[in-house]
Amino acid sequence: MAYTFAECNALDDLRISNWDTSNWKLESLEYTWYNCRVLKELDLSQWDTSGWNMTNIARAWGRCESLEKLIIDNWNTSDWAVISMANTWY
């Protein structure tokens, strides 16, 4: 998932809340939405993160200058062993 939407600096709407992430084994969200400068809202609340082995979320939302609402309130991060959160919301 790292770098998936990075540098999409004209992206103003991203509707991915309904993605089925239940079988994902993610380890990194590094730079995933980096530099999405005009994106105002990102709803990821329905993502099932319970099976993720997350170690890196550095710069995940970095340079998202217009991001007013990031909805991740249902994320289960209890088993994550994050090593790097550097500039996550830079």
Side-chain angles (χ1 to χ4, degrees), residues 45-61:
S45 61
Q46 300 304 311
W47 283 20
D48 180 356
T49 62
S50 59
W52 297 6
N53 299 311
M54 192 60 57
T55 60
N56 188 349
I57 59 172
R59 297 169 192 87
W61 296 280

Side-chain angles (χ1 to χ4, degrees), residues 6 15-17 23-24 27 30 34 36 38 44 48 51-52 55 65 68 70 72-74 78 85-86:
R15 297 177 189 189
I16 56 176
S17 62
N23 293 317
W24 292 11
E27 294 179 7
E30 182 179 27
Y34 182 81
C36 289
V38 296
L44 306 173
D48 180 356
W52 297 6
T55 60
E65 298 167 353
E68 297 173 356
L70 175 61
I72 56 174
D73 53 321
N74 290 330
S78 61
M85 287 182 67

Side-chain angles (χ1 to χ4, degrees), residues 15-45:
R15 297 177 189 189
I16 56 176
S17 62
N18 63 343
W19 283 9
D20 181 3
T21 61
S22 60
N23 293 317
W24 292 11
K25 303 297 181 201
L26 292 187
E27 294 179 7
S28 179
L29 287 174
E30 182 179 27
Y31 285 97
T32 302
W33 296 277
Y34 182 81
N35 206 27
C36 289
R37 292 178 182 249
V38 296
L39 188 62
K40 291 183 181 177
E41 181 176 324
L42 187 57
D43 182 358
L44 306 173
S45 61

